[in-house]
Structure formats: C-alpha cells, structure tokens
C-alpha cells in the first residue's frame, strides 16, 4: 500500500482511539482491572486465538479464487496482521465497514490485483455478517429451549427471528447473483451519495461485473469453501462467548456458558443496530446491561462485563493500528 494512505489510516485510527480513551473513567478502569486480575489477560489472549478463525475464513476465500499470472500467494501470517488491523479500523470508524474494508482492499491489491482483492474482501465481509445472522437465529432457539418465554418476549423473539431470516435470505441472494452492483445501485438512490455513485457505476461497470462473477463463483463452484468459511465464522461467534464466561467467573463461580452465548447474541444484535457509533459506545454497554439483567444476572455484573470487554476492544484496536505500520511483503 502507498505509504501516504497507510499513514492516513494509521493517524485517523490513533486520533479516534485517543478520543475514546479520554471518555473512560480511569478510576473505574483501574478498579475493574484489579478485580478481573489474570482473567483479563486470558480475555486478551483469547482474541489472539479468535482472530485465527477470521483469518482462516478469509484465507480460504482468497485461495479459492483463480490466481492470475504475476499475482503472489498471500501468506497466512501477513493476512492475520491485515485481519487484526482491518477490525481495528472497523471498531474505530463510524459505519464500521467504512474503515477496515477499504484498507484491506488497498493492501491486497498490489499482491493479487484490484478485482480479486475487492471480491475477496466483499466476500469475507458478507460471510462475517452472514454468520452473525445465523448466530442470532440459532441463539433464539437456544433461548426458547433454556429460558421461560413470556408473551412479550415471544413477540420480540418472533420479530427478531423474522429479521434474521430476512437477512439470511438477502445474503444468500447476494452470494448467488453478486452484491457489488446491487450495493452501488442502492447507494445511487441516496441523495448525498448519488452524485458520486452513478458516475462510479458507469466508469467501473466492467470491474463491478467481474467482482460479482467472482462472488457468485464461490457459492456455485466452491460450495465446500463457502460452507467452510461460514462455519469458521460461526464457530468464532460461539467461541467468543468464552470472553463473557471468563469475566463472569470473577463474580460468579457458577457462571453458565449457555447464558454467556445468549448475552453475547442479544448484545451483538443490539450493538450492530447502532453500527454508526464508533466502537458502539453506549450501545454495547446498554446491550450488556439489558441482556444480563433479563437472564437473572445482576446489573453490577453487567456493568463489569461491559467495562472489561470495552478495555479489551480498546487494547486490540491499539494493537491493530500499530500493525498498520508493519506492512511487510506477504
């Protein structure tokens, strides 16, 4: 990647991270870290493991695509670095995908070409979001089988289930027909983006068609690759509930892993509905508080969980931003 753009991503991320750190109550942070003890280290190390799932899903997507002459093979270690940095930018950027995905495309393009880089990044982003919808849908059934369901809760679960099914249908349709042209046409109907999107579609129609063909090829020609990538991402969702399990063990030695899955599902759904907020500030904490109390866990425990998770996110965001400066060849 061009050093100018690399430095731009790095400086922007550091500024936003610095602003978010200033919003912390440092006394509360210190007390939380003292209380968590070595479990905080376990939580941080867990994410070094979880990012392996994300990288593996993206790695098999890239390797499933036809490699043209002159394009390099991307190493897993370099892609892991790119994965962590990309998520760091997504965490720090309002709109989520507006930060990490352009960075990934620009980093990959010199190695595998712009069309292949764009399609692999779009495919991975689709798979990442697609797995969230499956995680939320499966968690609904888990809730029904393990918790008492009142009438208001039944209505909420029905609405949420319909939302998840609609999301799954949308992405399956996108896998079959491609998504690049559809997204650009959608942007072409938004007043503030219309002037940019329509000329872009006309001048890049061939590239967009190529990207869509590569997206649909994964679903049609490589079903094993498609299923493997989705299962890796879905496994990552369930394994990430270990983070909440580790934190709750500090307060509740009898903490239940299944409850942690439900807390994570509800919180991530609530936070993603507020995707336009950097790091889902406030939304994530509110989601933890509501989901923990709804499952019979004390409000103080919910606040403690939210604090430790926020500190872990800030730490890994800082690590990811620093990795932007170590952009060695794959």
């Amino acid at each position: 990647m061009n050093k100018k753009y690399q430095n731009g991503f790095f400086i922007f991320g550091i500024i936003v991270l610095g602003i978010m750190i200033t919003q912390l109550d440092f006394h509360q942070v210190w007390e939380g870290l003292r209380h968590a003890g070595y479990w905080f280290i376990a939580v941080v190390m867990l994410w070094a493991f979880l990012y392996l799932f994300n990288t593996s899903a993206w790695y098999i997507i890239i390797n499933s695509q036809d490699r043209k002459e002159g394009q390099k093979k991307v190493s897993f270690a370099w892609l892991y670095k790119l994965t962590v940095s990309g998520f760091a930018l997504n965490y720090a950027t309002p709109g989520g995908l507006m930060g990490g995905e352009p960075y990934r495309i620009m980093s990959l393009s010199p190695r595998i070409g712009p069309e292949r880089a764009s399609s692999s990044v779009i495919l991975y982003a689709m798979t990442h979001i697609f797995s969230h919808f499956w995680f939320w849908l499966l968690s609904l059934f888990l809730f029904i089988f393990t918790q008492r369901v009142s009438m208001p809760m039944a209505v909420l679960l029905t609405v949420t289930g319909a939302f998840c099914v609609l999301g799954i249908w949308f992405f399956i349709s996108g896998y079959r027909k491609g998504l690049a042209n559809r997204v650009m046409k959608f942007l072409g109907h938004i007043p503030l983006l219309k002037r940019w999107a329509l000329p872009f579609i006309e001048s890049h129609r061939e590239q967009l068609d190529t990207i869509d063909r590569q997206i649909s090829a994964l679903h049609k020609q490589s079903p094993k690759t498609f299923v493997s990538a989705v299962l890796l991402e879905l496994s990552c969702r369930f394994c990430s509930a270990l983070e909440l399990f580790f934190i709750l063990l500090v307060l509740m030695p009898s903490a239940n892993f299944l409850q942690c899955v439900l807390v994570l599902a509800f919180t991530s759904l609530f936070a993603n509905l507020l995707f336009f907020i950097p790091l889902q500030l406030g939304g994530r904490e509110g989601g933890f508080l509501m989901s923990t109390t709804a499952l019979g866990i004390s409000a103080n425990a919910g606040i403690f969980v939210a604090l430790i998770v926020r500190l872990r996110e800030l730490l890994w965001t800082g690590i990811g931003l620093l990795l932007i400066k170590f952009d060695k060849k794959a």
Side-chain angles (χ1 to χ4, degrees), residues 161-223:
F163 170 71
C164 292
V165 170
L166 181 63
I168 290 170
W169 170 82
F170 174 80
F171 278 98
I172 289 178
S173 176
Y175 279 117
R176 289 175 176 171
K177 301 177 182 178
L179 203 63
N181 274 299
R182 299 173 74 184
V183 170
M184 293 307 300
K185 288 178 182 177
F186 172 75
L187 294 178
H189 290 89
I190 299 176
L192 294 177
L193 298 176
K194 188 175 183 179
R195 290 185 178 181
W196 167 81
L198 293 179
F200 183 89
I201 293 172
E202 291 302 319
S203 60
H204 295 81
R205 187 172 297 279
E206 184 177 348
Q207 291 94 328
L208 291 172
D209 289 340
T210 300
I211 291 170
D212 276 342
R213 284 195 298 271
Q214 292 176 348
I215 289 174
S216 60
L218 175 69
H219 186 268
K220 294 177 182 177
Q221 300 173 9
S222 307

Side-chain angles (χ1 to χ4, degrees), residues 70-313:
Q71 293 182 350
K72 301 177 181 178
K73 182 176 175 61
V74 178
S75 73
F76 187 88
W78 182 78
L79 199 66
Y80 182 88
K81 181 203 79 71
L82 206 62
T83 298
V84 176
S85 296
F87 276 119
L89 287 167
N90 281 345
Y91 283 135
T93 308
L97 299 182
M98 298 304 292
E101 269 44 53
Y103 165 75
R104 290 172 176 172
I105 292 172
M106 293 173 71
S107 297
L108 268 177
S109 292
R111 294 166 170 80
I112 64 175
E115 288 86 3
R116 190 175 165 212
S118 299
S119 62
S120 72
V121 170
I122 294 173
L123 270 168
Y124 175 70
M126 289 171 62
T127 303
H128 184 71
I129 300 171
F130 186 61
S131 70
H132 271 83
F133 280 103
W134 275 110
F135 177 60
W136 296 329
L137 184 62
L138 293 174
S139 296
L140 290 181
F141 290 103
L142 180 62
F143 186 93
I144 292 170
F145 292 134
T146 61
Q147 307 295 319
R148 292 183 60 185
V149 180
S150 62
M151 184 57 67
M153 181 58 70
V155 174
L156 178 60
L157 293 176
T158 301
V159 173
T160 305
F163 170 71
C164 292
V165 170
L166 181 63
I168 290 170
W169 170 82
F170 174 80
F171 278 98
I172 289 178
S173 176
Y175 279 117
R176 289 175 176 171
K177 301 177 182 178
L179 203 63
N181 274 299
R182 299 173 74 184
V183 170
M184 293 307 300
K185 288 178 182 177
F186 172 75
L187 294 178
H189 290 89
I190 299 176
L192 294 177
L193 298 176
K194 188 175 183 179
R195 290 185 178 181
W196 167 81
L198 293 179
F200 183 89
I201 293 172
E202 291 302 319
S203 60
H204 295 81
R205 187 172 297 279
E206 184 177 348
Q207 291 94 328
L208 291 172
D209 289 340
T210 300
I211 291 170
D212 276 342
R213 284 195 298 271
Q214 292 176 348
I215 289 174
S216 60
L218 175 69
H219 186 268
K220 294 177 182 177
Q221 300 173 9
S222 307
K224 289 183 179 179
T225 299
F226 169 75
V227 172
S228 298
V230 173
L231 288 178
L232 280 167
E233 283 291 317
L234 186 58
S235 299
C236 185
R237 302 284 81 73
F238 281 98
C239 288
S240 61
L242 287 170
E243 175 178 43
L244 307 186
F245 184 62
F246 292 164
I247 298 170
L248 285 176
L249 283 176
V250 177
L251 305 174
M252 304 164 52
S254 60
N256 187 313
F257 177 73
L258 292 181
Q259 278 190 324
C260 294
V261 171
L262 295 176
V263 170
L264 178 64
F266 182 86
T267 303
S268 62
L269 175 59
F270 187 78
N272 276 280
L273 292 175
L274 302 176
F275 68 93
F276 52 87
I277 303 177
L279 267 171
Q280 291 92 37
L281 289 174
R284 181 69 61 86
E285 285 76 4
F288 274 124
L289 190 58
M290 287 188 290
S291 56
T292 51
T293 52
L295 291 169
I297 301 172
S298 69
N300 286 336
I303 294 171
F304 179 69
V305 168
L307 173 64
I308 298 302
V309 170
R310 178 63 63 203
L311 292 177
R312 184 271 302 166
E313 287 179 335

